[in-house]
Amino acid sequence: MQKLIIGQNLNDSYVKQIQEVIPDWKIIAGRDASVWERDIQGAEVIAGWRKEMADYLKDASSLRWIQSWSAGVNSMPLEELKRKSIALTSANGVHAYPISETIFALMLGLSRNIHAYVRNQQEKRWHHAGLKLEIHNKTIGILGIGAIGKETAKIAKAFNMKVLGMRYSGRPEEFVDEMYTPDKLHSLLPECDYVVVTLPLTKDTKQLFGKKQFRMMKNSAFFINIGRGDIVEEKELISALHEKEIAGAGLDVFEQEPLEENSPLWEMENVIITPHTAGSTEYYDERVIGDIFLPNLKKYIAGKEPDLNRVDFEKGY
């Protein structure tokens, strides 16, 4: 009997939807390894990869396809999957709404001093906090014009913002006024009032942002990172904030997670921190299953390749 392992705790209604597509398969669902460890060696498909599964991969001779439950796949054993010709599809696109909302929550929070007012409220302190900034008519630079970047650009236009984008192909995109390639990052950064990182972590983006890049930004500009922590040299970000080379930062991701308690970022008044939760949404499972996994599963059982959100092992995303 063919087996599907789902490394997530799913509502029974979702499992039922999947079972209707593969009625003759055995489906094992659950986050805890004790639920699936006896069956994983014979699994043909895994949906919802868990890091503990890597220990079983070398003997997983039946495995043909993995559906990641996250958009980023940098933590997965990509080289081994490539070597074994195991297809990998990501959850890219699931996060477009919640993460773009978080991006603007951080931008608006920093611009309109919401973080300062929350602290004042806790202290029962009535204080202006120097509020003066608007985001209307400002310039936003979005590094990474995928699903999240596109939605962010679309929302930015509601604020009449000028939108600069960066993508490797340089291909134009709706709602993006000017598109840059990575080799032109030095031209993009000085133009921006907000720099938003939505890039995946790859060998090309690792530590893309350091001292040089922060010094290219305006002193009045804000830095938002919802991509991956390792895209930024954190000590250089801390230095840029401390030296007021940039105005502030909204950070959802960090080099080390959880962020260490002794990190200076926690106590900086011009920083808003969220604990890698930008993509959290009530519709997460619904979107992964309905928009990505089920369409791919139907192709798979029809003898076709699951090509929706297929990861290119050379690019790393």
Side-chain angles (χ1 to χ4, degrees):
M1 178 180 285
Q2 292 164 289
K3 295 179 184 178
L4 163 65
I5 302 288
I6 304 174
Q8 300 288 324
N9 296 328
L10 285 185
N11 185 289
D12 288 343
S13 64
Y14 295 132
V15 177
K16 184 178 179 182
Q17 287 179 42
I18 296 168
Q19 190 78 77
E20 288 174 354
V21 177
I22 47 173
D24 300 326
W25 286 45
K26 181 179 180 181
I27 300 177
I28 303 96
R31 292 174 66 92
D32 196 274
S34 63
V35 175
W36 46 256
E37 61 187 354
R38 291 187 302 275
D39 292 281
I40 193 169
Q41 298 295 1
E44 186 170 332
V45 178
I46 294 175
W49 176 262
R50 309 204 66 73
K51 62 182 179 180
E52 310 95 277
M53 292 177 175
D55 296 334
Y56 301 89
L57 188 58
K58 60 182 180 294
D59 298 319
S61 58
S62 303
L63 188 59
R64 298 289 177 267
W65 166 36
I66 296 173
Q67 169 67 57
S68 169
W69 223 253
S70 65
V73 295
N74 55 282
S75 63
M76 297 182 68
L78 301 183
E79 286 300 321
E80 189 167 2
L81 296 179
K82 177 185 175 183
R83 189 168 60 252
K84 290 178 176 288
S85 298
I86 296 170
L88 174 62
T89 52
S90 76
N92 186 38
V94 169
H95 310 81
Y97 287 171
I99 292 185
S100 60
E101 289 182 12
T102 297
I103 287 168
F104 275 89
L106 293 170
M107 287 170 55
L108 286 164
L110 289 163
S111 299
R112 302 302 295 168
N113 280 2
I114 302 303
H115 57 313
Y117 293 137
V118 169
R119 289 194 295 269
N120 287 347
Q121 181 179 345
Q122 291 170 338
E123 298 171 3
K124 301 179 182 178
R125 183 174 179 232
W126 188 273
H127 187 264
H128 187 275
L131 178 64
K132 62 180 181 180
L133 298 179
E134 296 181 3
I135 72 171
H136 278 78
N137 304 310
K138 297 290 175 62
T139 297
I140 181 173
I142 305 170
L143 311 188
I145 306 293
I148 296 165
K150 291 176 188 178
E151 189 63 27
T152 302
K154 179 182 176 182
I155 296 170
K157 283 303 173 185
F159 289 94
N160 202 33
M161 300 184 83
K162 182 178 181 180
V163 181
L164 309 182
M166 188 193 84
R167 62 167 29 150
Y168 282 87
S169 68
R171 189 176 71 254
E173 186 62 52
E174 187 180 12
F175 305 116
V176 177
D177 297 302
E178 297 175 24
M179 190 69 75
Y180 293 71
T181 49
D183 61 314
K184 301 296 183 184
L185 181 61
H186 63 281
S187 299
L188 181 153
L189 293 176
E191 301 296 320
C192 300
D193 300 297
Y194 301 86
V195 173
V196 179
V197 177
T198 73
L199 293 162
L201 178 63
T202 68
K203 62 182 184 298
D204 295 321
T205 64
K206 187 176 176 65
Q207 295 191 328
L208 176 67
F209 252 85
K211 180 186 296 185
K212 181 179 178 182
Q213 287 70 35
F214 287 117
R215 286 183 173 174
M216 290 176 183
M217 292 173 59
K218 296 178 181 178
N219 297 139
S220 57
F222 293 97
F223 181 75
I224 310 292
N225 187 11
I226 56 79
R228 285 292 184 268
D230 285 333
I231 293 173
V232 179
E233 292 184 64
E234 206 161 281
K235 69 178 188 303
E236 300 299 346
L237 169 60
I238 291 169
S239 176
L241 289 163
H242 182 72
E243 298 298 324
K244 294 184 169 38
E245 290 176 349
I246 61 174
L251 307 170
D252 187 60
V253 290
F254 306 88
E255 285 181 338
Q256 181 175 321
E257 297 179 2
L259 181 63
E260 294 177 314
E261 288 185 16
N262 62 357
S263 171
L265 291 169
W266 285 113
E267 296 180 354
M268 288 185 166
E269 292 188 358
N270 55 347
V271 173
I272 299 178
I273 288 171
T274 52
H276 205 146
T277 54
S280 298
T281 168
E282 61 197 298
Y283 303 112
Y284 200 99
D285 289 345
E286 177 183 326
R287 289 175 181 155
V288 174
I289 294 167
D291 296 347
I292 303 166
F293 183 61
L294 283 180
N296 271 336
L297 183 61
K298 290 172 183 176
K299 292 178 184 178
Y300 181 81
I301 62 171
K304 301 175 183 177
E305 289 291 316
D307 57 1
L308 187 59
N309 285 1
R310 182 73 173 258
V311 172
D312 182 327
F313 290 121
E314 298 302 322
K315 293 180 178 178
Y317 59 92

